Amino acid sequence: MEPRRRIGFAGLAVFAIAFVLTGAQVSEPWRHRAVAASGNAARGAKLYETLPCASCHDISRPWPGGAICPNLGNIATEAARIVRRPDYHGRAKDAAGYIRESIVDPNAYIVPGPAYRQADGQSVMPKTFGQTLTPAQLEDLVVFLLTRR
Ligand code: HEC
C-alpha cells in the first residue's frame, strides 16, 4: 500500500471510532432517566470515561464475562444479587453499597473470575480510588453504574 493511502485509511479509522464513540454516547438511555440518589449519572459517565475504569471494564456487555475484569453492562442487577449470596462477605446491604464498596475497597469482596486476583490474593483493581475520588465523584460514579441494569 502507498504511504498516502495508508494515512488515508488511518484517518478514516480514527474518524469511524470517534463517530461510534460519540454516537453511542448520545444514545445512552441514562441521559433521559431520572435517578433517585445524591449523585449525577451524566457526571458519573464522564468520570467513568476519564478515569482508567474503561481500560479494564467493558460496560457494554453483561456480567460476569471479561478476561481481565468483570463486565459492568448490568452491574446494578448483579450487584443486588451478589450482596445476597452466601459467600459474599463484604459490608454492603444493597446494589449502591456494593458498587461503592467495589470502587473504594476492591478487596472487600473479590469477584470469582479467571484473572481477577493477583498472585498475592489481592484484587487486580487499583485500591487508590478511595483516596483519589472526592465523595461527590464517588456518588456520581455509583449513580451512573446503577443505570446499568
Ligand atoms: C486495572 C484494571 C481495573 C481498573 C482500572 C478498574 N477496575 Fe474495577 N475491577 C477490576 C477487577 C479485576 C475486578 C474484579 C475483582 C474484584 O472484585 O475486586 C473489578 C471489580 C469492579 C467492580 C465490581 C464488579 C462486580 O462484578 O461485582 C466494580 C463496580 C468496579 N470494578 C468498578 C470500577 C470503576 C468504577 C473503575 C474506575 C474508577 C474501575 N473499576 C477501575 C479491575 C479494574
Side-chain angles (χ1 to χ4, degrees):
M1 215 190 288
E2 289 165 33
R4 256 229 212 117
R5 281 192 65 189
R6 230 182 276 157
I7 291 164
F9 262 117
L12 198 66
V14 168
F15 179 78
I17 291 166
F19 180 80
V20 168
L21 288 179
T22 45
Q25 217 178 47
V26 169
S27 64
E28 291 294 326
W30 51 259
R31 281 184 190 271
H32 311 288
R33 212 178 269 164
V35 268
S38 64
N40 176 289
R43 277 202 308 262
K46 278 238 171 64
L47 264 175
Y48 183 88
E49 283 165 22
T50 27
L51 293 166
C53 320
S55 63
C56 288
H57 293 283
D58 187 339
I59 201 134
S60 65
R61 288 165 205 265
W63 192 94
I68 323 168
C69 310
N71 294 334
L72 298 179
N74 55 350
I75 186 62
T77 305
E78 291 306 326
R81 211 173 51 81
I82 291 169
V83 292
R84 293 196 301 268
R85 276 167 67 137
D87 69 331
Y88 172 70
H89 45 259
R91 295 208 302 229
K93 300 272 175 279
D94 56 14
Y98 175 78
I99 293 173
R100 196 177 295 116
E101 179 182 77
S102 299
I103 298 171
V104 299
D105 185 12
N107 287 325
Y109 171 78
I110 302 182
V111 181
Y116 300 167
R117 246 173 224 274
Q118 297 170 354
D120 64 2
Q122 298 219 18
S123 170
V124 166
M125 178 149 156
K127 289 94 191 161
T128 46
F129 293 121
Q131 285 90 61
T132 55
L133 296 172
T134 67
Q137 287 177 320
L138 179 61
E139 288 317 294
D140 290 346
L141 271 177
V142 169
V143 167
F144 166 60
L145 289 173
L146 281 174
T147 65
R148 304 284 139 174
R149 281 167 245 204

